[in-house]
Amino acid sequence: MTIGKVIIEADGGARGNPGPAGYGAVVRDPASGEVLAERAAALGVTTNNVAEYRGLIAGLQAAAELGASQVEARMDSKLVVEQMSGRWQIKHPGLRPLAAEVATLVRKFDQVTYTWIPRERNRAADALANAAMDAAAGKGGSAAGSLDGETAFGIVTAWDADAFPIVADADETPAGSGAGSGRAAGSGTPTGSGKAGRGAETAATGRPREDWAPRTSPATRLVLVRHGETELTAQKRYSGRGDVPLSAIGEEQAAAAGRRVAGLRPDRVVSSPLSRCRSTAAAIASAAGGIPVSVENDLIECDFGVWEGLTFGDVREQYPAELDAWLASTSVAPPKGESFQQVAKRVRGAMGKLQKAYEGQTVVIVSHVSPIKLILRDALAAGDAFLYRLLLDPAGVSIVDVWPDGGVSVRSVNDTAHLLPPTP
């Protein structure tokens, strides 16, 4: 169900900073002012800013559950409004994962805008937040009966499930008015800002970030390798869940990728369960001195349903309407298949597990076009059009570094130099 535009009023606070904290959020119909949903929770002991972000997140989650397509988020927190509008940098490492969670939720809507309002115009959300703070402080209260028992805030690591923390920092230049607007329709990105990974540039200017500081923790290096060629690859046919083996050329490509990746001194290889990936993973592990190989089922390719084995031309001829719908939205699946949004959800979960399990190590991920594109899309904070513009060759290598504080640096994309014939 789609209900069009809604207004979110969100607030959060703490009794002390940090102190017993809570948030409240109200979702309203913009025409009638009718309350469509309320959310509130005690957060344990944390800061005002964390609570404010949690209020916004709860409001966006509620709006998504209602099927809203456009959102105006109204808050009396100038910090959250300015940061999420792209005008202020998000310098505090504890807030970046929360801003990343907001950015992930924004993808669910056609448009999200942010507006600063004075506290007296935010009374409903403020009342819910105060009841939640009372509950966190052990004073009872029920925040309209909707406290959900959320635990105290903990830092979300860089690839944690649905909170994929790719946040674009913007110049910290307070706007004169205090009113936040600007997110372009369908982009999920501050208007006029462009897109950038947190470890690279500011969103608003494209200049290098000014808040670089030496990191005390090592990066987890993710080496993303597409499997080698198969017969279906060479014929440019949709190849999803079908377990197609590597061709002779694909085996050569896998060996070459192994020699390339061995130079990165990987600690482990993790593979999709399909044989074309497992064979590629085995070649890489062997070249790297026999390092461990494990299988992660959620790294499997998109299920292309009835399109499996067909060419793009075949699909255009046989399923023209379905193809147009699929190309127009990542929420649409091929007939009897899987949407890119579904793929993204399981891949994010897999990446969260892998980063936690192998923090600070170099991990080779051997997977398929769709999962690797989705990982790179989010790492670059790109839009969905990125999925249709990026080419990933068989046995191509991409490298992404992530840090526990949420920093992300994309080192290379689709490196295929190891596949070129040697120079005479």
Side-chain angles (χ1 to χ4, degrees), residues 60-341:
L60 289 169
Q61 289 171 334
E65 291 167 7
L66 290 167
S69 59
Q70 297 182 40
V71 171
E72 180 188 356
R74 299 177 179 176
M75 303 182 69
D76 56 56
S77 169
K78 189 174 183 64
L79 176 114
V80 175
V81 167
E82 294 296 324
Q83 287 182 342
M84 295 316 302
S85 296
R87 291 185 288 270
W88 290 8
Q89 287 184 333
I90 306 169
K91 292 187 175 182
H92 195 289
L95 297 183
R96 289 175 175 171
L98 294 169
E101 195 165 350
V102 174
T104 298
L105 287 166
V106 163
R107 293 183 181 276
K108 298 178 181 290
F109 307 99
D110 294 335
Q111 184 180 45
V112 176
T113 61
Y114 300 93
T115 303
W116 179 85
I117 56 175
R119 185 171 298 277
E120 59 268 21
R121 291 178 52 196
N122 204 26
R123 291 178 179 173
D126 179 71
L128 289 173
N130 273 284
M133 282 184 271
D134 287 343
K139 298 181 181 179
S142 65
S146 60
L147 292 179
D148 60 14
E150 185 171 329
T151 59
F153 169 70
I155 295 295
V156 181
T157 55
W159 300 85
D160 193 13
D162 292 324
F164 202 90
I166 306 301
V167 179
D169 288 342
D171 287 342
E172 188 167 352
T173 306
S177 68
S181 54
R183 284 200 177 246
S187 72
T189 307
T191 302
S193 70
K195 296 177 179 180
R198 257 204 319 269
E201 300 173 339
T202 63
T205 67
R207 295 193 300 269
R209 280 176 37 185
E210 298 174 358
D211 63 339
W212 282 104
R215 287 187 166 95
T216 58
S217 300
T220 301
R221 174 156 290 182
L222 304 172
V223 183
L224 310 173
V225 182
R226 185 188 172 194
H227 61 78
E229 183 179 289
T230 71
E231 289 187 4
L232 292 186
T233 307
Q235 297 169 12
K236 301 187 182 301
R237 296 182 180 274
Y238 284 95
S239 181
R241 299 296 178 85
D243 203 1
V244 185
L246 294 179
S247 65
I249 292 175
E251 291 175 355
E252 294 177 0
Q253 292 172 335
R259 293 189 293 271
R260 165 71 176 91
V261 172
L264 299 173
R265 299 182 179 180
D267 298 292
R268 166 174 293 274
V269 183
V270 181
S271 173
S272 155
L274 297 182
S275 62
R276 56 191 183 269
C277 286
R278 288 189 286 107
S279 296
T280 304
I284 293 171
S286 176
I291 61 175
V293 179
S294 59
V295 171
E296 171 53 61
N297 290 332
D298 283 335
L299 293 175
I300 198 170
E301 177 61 289
C302 178
D303 184 349
F304 292 111
V306 300
W307 297 352
E308 181 76 18
L310 301 181
T311 66
F312 184 86
D314 294 334
V315 174
R316 170 59 72 194
E317 181 179 350
Q318 299 174 34
Y319 301 93
E322 293 87 345
L323 179 62
D324 286 343
W326 181 68
L327 292 173
S329 173
T330 56
S331 67
V332 175
K336 299 184 180 180
E338 183 182 28
S339 73
F340 281 147
Q341 286 187 8

Side-chain angles (χ1 to χ4, degrees), residues 352-421:
K353 291 188 293 183
L354 293 177
Q355 190 198 351
K356 290 175 182 177
Y358 307 118
E359 183 175 334
Q361 300 183 37
T362 296
V363 183
V364 183
I365 309 294
V366 183
S367 188
H368 310 264
V369 168
S370 302
I372 294 175
K373 280 188 175 184
L374 288 161
I375 292 168
L376 290 171
R377 177 199 68 178
D378 288 343
L380 291 166
D384 290 338
F386 174 88
L387 302 174
Y388 306 104
R389 297 183 181 185
L390 174 65
L391 174 67
L392 293 178
D393 289 293
V397 176
S398 303
I399 301 174
V400 179
D401 288 348
V402 297
W403 284 266
D405 67 1
V408 179
S409 288
V410 178
R411 299 288 184 177
S412 64
V413 174
N414 196 38
D415 176 7
T416 58
H418 51 285
L419 303 178
L420 297 177

